[in-house]
Amino acid sequence: MGHKDDYDSTGKTKGQAEKARWTVLASFFALGLCLGVVVAERVYVQKRALIPKPRQLVSTVSNALHSVGHHAPAAPRNELEAYLMQIAPNKELLLAVANKNTMWDGMLDTFTQGIKRAKVSNHMILALDQQTVDWCKKNGVNAHFMNLTIAATQQGTGDNHAVSAMKFGILKNFVELGWSVLLSDVDIAIFQNPFEHLYRDSDVEGMTDGFDEHTAYGSIEGFDDPSMGWGRYAQYYKHFNMNSGLFYLKANNRTLDLLTRLAYRLSHEKYWDQTAYNEEIFFLSHGSYKSPQVSVRVMEIDKFMNSKRLFKDIRHRPKSQQPPLPVMVHINYHPDKHERMKAVIKWYIGGDEHALDAFPGGSEKGTR
């Protein structure tokens, strides 16, 4: 039996009392910890909502801050955003850049008829002159005028190339405002609403110049250097370039970085926009150079089809082996663009099985 000094006033041994005190303290500590976590999590979530996420534009955060405590959306920051809110409230837009030259032979009309046929309401013609704006308004086509000057470095490259080189700077205006853009050249026949056929799982989703599975989607190729003896064999990955005339950009900081680089380069270098576009997307980070690190998806070649795929392959197949109606067909491989556009439309939806017969496979007569 213990000594009386071994017991406290409650009759417990000192060891039991000490254990009880630690249990109470531990309980309070655990409770405090839980409360602390809950409070910290609430504070973190509230603050995190205002911190730019990796794919979130600074302008998006600015809007969030501006609208805190207000139920009404933030007022448009400029005339372009006001128009975008009206015609593309879901923040996705089919955009084509055009000037009066595209109206001369009716190509702009053929292109916009495709927009109407596919019921693409969230579209815009970015007009580079007032004549184009007037034509669009007269024909029920969404248009916005932007007065731009061709960079000195692009002078003498030809009107089409010079205008094409400006499109990355134009696209910056839309991405900065938070709009994802499907950019389309006007030498494209539209048959279905393209927004119903996008995956939207990548920063850049674009048409390829590849004309079969290997050239479009890529393949592992071998390299042989006999002088290396035992190490003579190596492998590399190869695919055709992405086409800079048809691609979808998600509005985020990586695509904004990509556009900023391209706009700068093409305002300072006499360079083909498609080459620059592919260099900035695919050149790997190395040393002090860091690429924009955009993720890339290639559009399916029988949905977003280039003209080599159609004229060199698809049209020669038995009808039972031809793929279903494409979404868009880009006449990128051939110079007689408008004539082929009209023929492709007759072939696919006009019921004319011979509409393509007069056209060679390549640009030269007699090619299949």
Side-chain angles (χ1 to χ4, degrees):
M1 192 166 178
H3 192 272
K4 66 178 181 179
D5 291 337
D6 294 333
Y7 297 87
D8 64 10
S9 59
T10 64
K12 297 179 180 178
T13 65
K14 290 184 177 180
Q16 291 172 327
E18 187 71 17
K19 185 176 180 180
R21 281 196 297 273
W22 277 110
T23 300
V24 171
L25 287 173
S27 298
F28 277 115
F29 177 78
L31 180 61
L33 182 63
C34 291
L35 288 173
V37 169
V38 170
V39 171
E41 183 178 18
R42 286 174 178 265
V43 172
Y44 174 80
V45 168
Q46 289 174 353
K47 287 187 175 181
R48 187 65 181 172
L50 300 178
I51 296 174
K53 298 177 182 178
R55 301 166 81 97
Q56 189 176 13
L57 291 172
V58 174
S59 60
T60 306
V61 180
S62 176
N63 278 348
L65 288 167
H66 181 71
S67 61
V68 169
H70 300 280
H71 296 292
R77 286 158 285 181
N78 53 37
E79 184 182 344
L80 173 61
E81 186 173 22
Y83 192 44
L84 288 171
M85 291 169 69
Q86 176 187 337
I87 66 171
N90 292 331
K91 293 205 165 186
E92 281 190 326
L93 182 76
L94 171 63
L95 178 71
V97 180
N99 60 17
K100 60 186 177 182
N101 294 345
T102 61
M103 297 186 294
W104 286 345
D105 68 346
M107 184 184 287
L108 184 59
D109 183 46
T110 302
F111 173 74
T112 54
Q113 287 299 324
I115 289 176
K116 295 174 183 178
R117 178 169 55 243
K119 296 181 172 58
V120 186
S121 59
N122 53 328
H123 70 269
M124 177 195 290
I125 302 299
L126 196 290
L128 300 179
D129 49 62
Q130 191 58 45
Q131 295 97 313
T132 305
V133 175
D134 295 340
W135 182 92
C136 288
K137 288 182 178 179
K138 181 180 177 181
N139 289 275
V141 176
N142 300 333
H144 179 78
F145 174 65
M146 191 173 285
N147 189 14
L148 299 170
T149 302
I150 294 175
T153 54
Q154 300 300 329
Q155 298 287 347
T157 60
D159 185 72
N160 289 339
H161 281 288
V163 170
S164 190
M166 293 165 36
K167 64 191 173 192
F168 300 111
I170 291 171
L171 283 169
K172 270 189 64 182
N173 293 283
F174 294 83
V175 171
E176 284 175 333
L177 292 172
W179 263 260
S180 298
V181 180
L182 175 63
L183 179 87
S184 174
D185 282 352
V186 297
D187 57 342
I188 292 178
I190 304 174
F191 298 102
Q192 300 185 61
N193 189 329
F195 292 104
E196 297 175 1
H197 298 271
L198 296 175
Y199 285 81
R200 298 177 180 82
D201 60 357
S202 304
D203 299 321
V204 180
E205 188 170 348
M207 194 198 88
T208 173
D209 277 350
F211 49 87
D212 58 25
E213 284 74 10
H214 292 294
T215 56
Y217 306 141
S219 60
I220 299 295
E221 302 288 333
F223 180 82
D224 181 16
D225 180 0
S227 70
M228 290 299 296
W230 178 85
R232 66 185 291 178
Y233 300 110
Q235 292 183 327
Y236 61 95
Y237 183 72
K238 180 180 76 173
H239 62 81
F240 272 36
N241 273 355
M242 303 273 280
N243 189 280
S244 62
L246 180 58
F247 58 87
Y248 176 80
L249 287 181
K250 295 187 77 171
N252 61 50
N253 281 326
R254 286 191 294 279
T255 56
L256 185 57
D257 182 18
L258 172 67
L259 294 172
T260 301
R261 296 179 189 217
L262 286 167
Y264 179 83
R265 282 189 63 179
L266 292 169
S267 65
H268 290 78
E269 302 175 30
K270 195 169 187 176
Y271 213 63
W272 187 24
D273 65 279
Q274 180 159 301
T275 302
Y277 170 68
N278 280 274
E279 285 178 353
E280 293 297 336
I281 289 175
F282 292 115
F283 276 15
L284 303 177
S285 298
H286 59 276
S288 61
Y289 171 76
K290 182 180 179 183
S291 77
Q293 299 184 335
V294 292
S295 58
V296 181
R297 169 181 279 275
V298 177
M299 290 172 167
E300 295 171 73
I301 55 177
D302 289 332
K303 287 189 174 183
F304 297 86
M305 191 182 296
N306 65 56
S307 57
K308 183 173 182 177
R309 173 73 170 172
L310 175 59
F311 283 92
K312 298 281 284 186
D313 179 359
I314 300 301
R315 69 164 172 169
H316 296 304
R317 298 182 187 183
K319 196 165 185 179
S320 62
Q321 296 177 22
Q322 292 174 4
L325 179 71
V327 179
M328 304 172 89
V329 177
H330 190 180
I331 313 299
N332 61 314
Y333 268 102
H334 299 88
D336 47 345
K337 294 179 179 297
H338 192 207
E339 292 306 310
R340 290 195 187 235
M341 276 179 72
K342 292 184 289 187
V344 168
I345 294 168
K346 288 180 182 178
W347 195 65
Y348 273 116
I349 64 175
D352 186 349
E353 295 183 2
H354 300 288
L356 305 184
D357 293 353
F359 297 93
S363 299
E364 303 300 324
K365 291 182 178 180
T367 56
R368 179 174 169 79

